[in-house]
Amino acid sequence: MNRRTYTVEAFVAHRRDLGETDKLLVLFSREMGRISAIARGARKPGSPLAGSTDALCFAKYHLAKGRQLDYVTQAQPLRTFAHLRSDLLRTACALELAEIVERAIGDHQPNEAAYDLALLTMEMLDGASDPAAVSAWSEIHLMGVLGYHPRLHDCASCHRPLPPRAAFSAAAGGLLCRTCSEGRRDALGLSAAAVAELRTLAAADSPPPALEACGALRRVYRTVWQHVLDSDLRSANFLDDLLSVG
């Protein structure tokens, strides 16, 4: 068996141009987690790698180990996600999820739950479901998969029962009562509808048909990812702009 080559099923979480004709890919696979690899000549006209090396492509990749980065030698597309890739809002939702996975999981650190959730999310975004609801459901479940479980049913600071309205603090680890949120610059005040929807999404096995408090949930999620990743998501502003227009 040639240990210098290997094959994985993965999707492209991120890609950027490299040199005149190459691409640098960040692949995410179930077996090996994140893989950084170079696709040589993938930007040449007629390259057999062109169709499988764009962001959000899902394919079987044959790779060869290199000194610093591995190399994609062959790729066979497995899913095209045609609806997802032709709809700007659905694409933006998928790119935000891909960025979270790319930044939160290290090279060659398998996370089967994150992989399965990401792939399921892309399948749902490719379908008829409301993309904003799919994205909100997926991201709060991804928080749990990555080890960040926001406290939603009692105060994250004093652990007392919460009224219908509450505040959210990523640094505190979840919802806060009025007393514990006073004086906290990072606390986001939430309506009763937003609190209820946040809890519903966290407990649901599938996305709801639509969201009532999408804007409030987006603000909560951005503070969470800023806290977890120590910086804002590159893709977040674009998605927020699309959702506000919608």
Side-chain angles (χ1 to χ4, degrees):
M1 183 178 183
N2 186 355
R3 296 184 179 180
R4 301 293 300 171
T5 62
Y6 61 99
T7 302
V8 294
E9 291 184 2
F11 67 87
V12 180
H14 182 69
R15 60 133 286 188
R16 67 177 176 86
D17 294 345
L18 186 67
E20 294 185 0
T21 61
D22 301 341
K23 294 179 184 178
L24 178 60
L25 309 180
V26 177
L27 305 175
F28 188 55
S29 70
R30 176 184 279 113
E31 300 87 351
M32 300 183 65
R34 190 179 73 185
I35 303 167
S36 298
I38 296 173
R40 285 177 169 165
R43 287 161 49 219
K44 289 182 179 179
S47 169
L49 295 178
S52 302
T53 53
D54 285 333
L56 306 179
C57 288
F58 178 56
K60 179 179 288 187
Y61 295 93
H62 303 268
L63 297 105
K65 291 184 176 295
R67 288 187 178 181
Q68 295 181 327
L69 293 172
D70 296 347
Y71 295 88
V72 178
T73 58
Q74 296 179 55
Q76 290 89 40
L78 297 175
R79 286 287 304 274
T80 59
F81 299 119
H83 190 197
L84 184 162
R85 293 163 64 84
S86 65
D87 182 286
L88 193 57
L89 177 56
R90 294 174 190 275
T91 300
C93 289
L95 287 174
E96 180 169 277
L97 181 73
E99 182 185 349
I100 295 166
V101 168
E102 173 205 353
R103 294 177 56 187
I105 298 175
D107 279 341
H108 303 292
Q109 294 181 5
N111 189 321
E112 294 185 6
Y115 174 87
D116 290 341
L117 178 59
L119 195 56
L120 175 61
T121 300
M122 289 198 290
E123 290 172 349
M124 289 190 292
L125 287 172
D126 195 48
S129 302
D130 174 49
V134 171
S135 179
W137 173 84
S138 175
E139 288 192 27
I140 198 165
H141 284 271
L142 186 59
M143 291 174 199
V145 165
L146 296 177
Y148 184 89
H149 297 266
R151 196 165 187 138
L152 301 177
H153 293 281
D154 58 6
C155 178
S157 180
C158 70
H159 307 317
R160 293 176 181 172
L162 291 166
R165 295 173 61 92
F168 187 93
S169 165
L175 293 172
L176 296 173
C177 66
R178 181 175 180 180
T179 301
C180 292
S181 65
E182 286 182 354
R184 293 194 68 113
R185 297 181 63 183
D186 67 323
L188 300 173
L190 298 178
S191 66
V195 170
E197 206 153 51
L198 195 60
R199 290 170 174 163
T200 298
L201 285 166
D205 292 330
S206 59
L211 294 175
E212 179 182 344
C214 182
L217 297 182
R218 288 288 302 164
R219 290 191 289 276
V220 167
Y221 289 4
R222 286 192 72 165
T223 65
V224 169
W225 298 125
Q226 286 172 344
H227 178 73
V228 172
L229 303 174
D230 202 28
S231 65
D232 201 5
L233 294 169
R234 299 184 301 267
S235 53
N237 285 335
F238 181 56
L239 178 53
D240 283 343
D241 288 345
L242 290 176
L243 289 170
S244 66
V245 171

